[in-house]
Each structure stands twice: as C-alpha cells, then as structure tokens.
C-alpha cells in the first residue's frame, strides 16, 4: 500500500508562521549534506542502522535496501552502503520493530527513494500498523492521531541525526578503494596538530 499524503489544513499554515516567528527546535540547515564520495562496509552499516548482518544481507538480496555505492560483484567483494542507504536501513528496522507489514515497508522505502536531502529530513512517517502516512508538519501528525489512525511515528530528520552521529566515529571507504577517516578522527587529529604547533 502506498504512502498517503495528509492534506495540509489552515491550521498548518498558522503553525508554520508561528514556527518561523519562534524558531524551531532543530534547525534543518544544520543537517550535513548526504556524502557521496564514501561508503560503509556491511558491518559498519549494521552497527549504524542497529540491525544484524543477516538482515542486511537478506534485504540486499531481496532488493529491499541495496547498496548504492558499490554492490557485491562476486566472491570476496564488499558491498558499500551510502549514508542514505543506512538512513533507510534504520527506518526499515523501526518499521519492522513496530509490526508494519513487508508490503507497506517496501512502499515506504520506494517513497523515501524519491525524496532529496532536506525534503527527506522534513518527513515524519506515521503508521497505524496497516497503513503508512507521510506527515510534513506537527498539525498533520496531530490531525492523524486525532482521527484515531496514527499509532507511532518516525521523524526522519531525527533518524538522520542519529545516523550522522554514529557514522562520525566509524570508518568509511572510497568506492575505488582506500579508507576515509571518520569526521571525528579528522577533528581530533587537527586539534592535536594545533596543540603541537602552539607549544
């Protein structure tokens, strides 16, 4: 079943104006852009998404979530998952944990594939266990819950930040080979170098 968009109401426009006047809890501009020059091996993707290697392998073989940086092309090759792949893996894990059916999860994954960075981060996925809904504002979430339909929600922007935080300490790899230092390691090295120069 495909995602059903919630029609914005007039209260949605009011809430957006209030949010602009008051500011928002999380500034969406603080999200880093999707890295495209590096990928993460299966074990790293599993750690970042909170899944087992068996789940990762099964989802790749069945086409639910396939690696976008580099697929397995024979014996001994390693799949490389991009940031977006890991974000989707984490969302899938949450949907499975809440009992959403596989056809609905596939519909959600297909829907997320059509979204770009900021558009993706602004989504909240709601589900009543039978259907999945896309919400773009707090009012849409409230309207859905008031209608007795929504049981749980996944704010994709929050998942984005969780994955960013986890991957900041894990090693990445370039598609053509070569390790990419995690951002936190680069920051620590830069701080050490700066301290040595100051002495």
């Amino acid at each position: 079943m495909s995602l059903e968009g919630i029609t914005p109401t007039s209260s949605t426009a009011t809430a957006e104006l209030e949010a602009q006047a008051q500011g928002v809890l999380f500034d969406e501009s603080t999200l880093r852009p999707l890295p495209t020059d590096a990928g993460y091996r299966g074990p790293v993707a599993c750690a970042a998404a909170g899944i087992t290697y068996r789940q990762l392998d099964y989802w790749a073989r069945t086409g639910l979530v396939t690696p976008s940086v580099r697929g397995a092309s024979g014996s001994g090759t390693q799949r490389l998952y991009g940031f977006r792949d890991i974000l989707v893996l984490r969302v899938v894990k949450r949907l499975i944990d809440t009992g959403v059916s596989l056809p609905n999860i596939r519909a959600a994954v297909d829907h997320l594939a059509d979204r770009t960075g900021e558009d993706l981060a602004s989504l909240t996925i709601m589900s009543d266990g039978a259907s999945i809904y896309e919400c773009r504002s707090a009012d849409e979430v409230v309207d859905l819950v008031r209608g007795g339909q929504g049981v749980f929600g996944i704010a994709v922007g929050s998942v984005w930040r969780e994955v960013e935080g986890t991957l900041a300490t894990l090693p990445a790899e370039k598609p053509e080979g070569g390790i990419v230092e995690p951002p936190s390691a680069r920051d620590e090295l830069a701080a050490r170098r700066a301290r040595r120069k100051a002495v």
Side-chain angles (χ1 to χ4, degrees):
M1 182 173 280
S2 62
L3 290 172
E4 299 173 27
I6 307 299
T7 306
T9 62
S10 59
S11 59
T12 302
T14 305
E16 287 174 3
L17 290 174
E18 288 173 3
Q20 289 171 358
Q22 296 176 1
V24 292
L25 183 59
F26 294 111
D27 179 12
E28 295 301 330
S29 65
T30 61
L31 293 172
R32 283 188 244 153
L34 293 170
T36 57
D37 62 339
Y40 301 88
R41 288 185 176 213
V44 173
C46 290
I51 60 173
T52 66
Y53 193 82
R54 181 179 233 167
Q55 287 173 308
L56 181 76
D57 185 53
Y58 179 71
W59 295 345
R61 284 187 289 113
T62 59
L64 180 62
V65 182
T66 57
S68 62
V69 177
R70 184 177 68 207
S73 58
S75 179
T77 60
Q78 293 280 326
R79 295 180 186 119
L80 288 181
Y81 289 84
F83 177 89
R84 184 188 187 102
D85 303 331
I86 296 171
L87 176 70
V88 172
L89 286 168
R90 198 160 180 143
V91 169
V92 167
K93 167 75 164 119
R94 289 194 178 172
L95 292 171
I96 285 174
D97 288 347
T98 54
V100 175
S101 70
L102 187 57
N104 282 339
I105 291 172
R106 284 192 183 279
V109 169
D110 291 344
H111 188 73
L112 293 175
D114 297 336
R115 302 292 187 224
T116 59
E118 288 181 20
D119 187 35
L120 181 64
S122 69
L123 286 178
T124 297
I125 298 172
M126 299 289 291
S127 178
D128 58 5
S131 299
I132 297 179
Y133 305 90
E134 169 189 315
C135 298
R136 297 198 163 275
S137 72
D139 283 345
E140 290 178 354
V141 172
V142 170
D143 289 345
L144 188 61
V145 172
R146 279 188 186 150
Q149 295 170 329
V151 173
F152 74 92
I154 300 170
V156 177
S158 296
V159 177
W160 183 305
R161 285 183 188 83
E162 291 170 13
V163 171
E164 254 184 358
T166 304
L167 291 178
T169 61
L170 297 172
E173 189 175 309
K174 292 195 176 285
E176 64 278 359
I179 300 297
V180 177
E181 290 181 29
S184 62
R186 286 196 298 269
D187 294 345
E188 184 179 327
L189 288 173
R192 285 182 188 174
R193 288 184 192 122
R195 282 194 298 265
R196 276 191 233 141
K197 287 181 182 178
V199 173

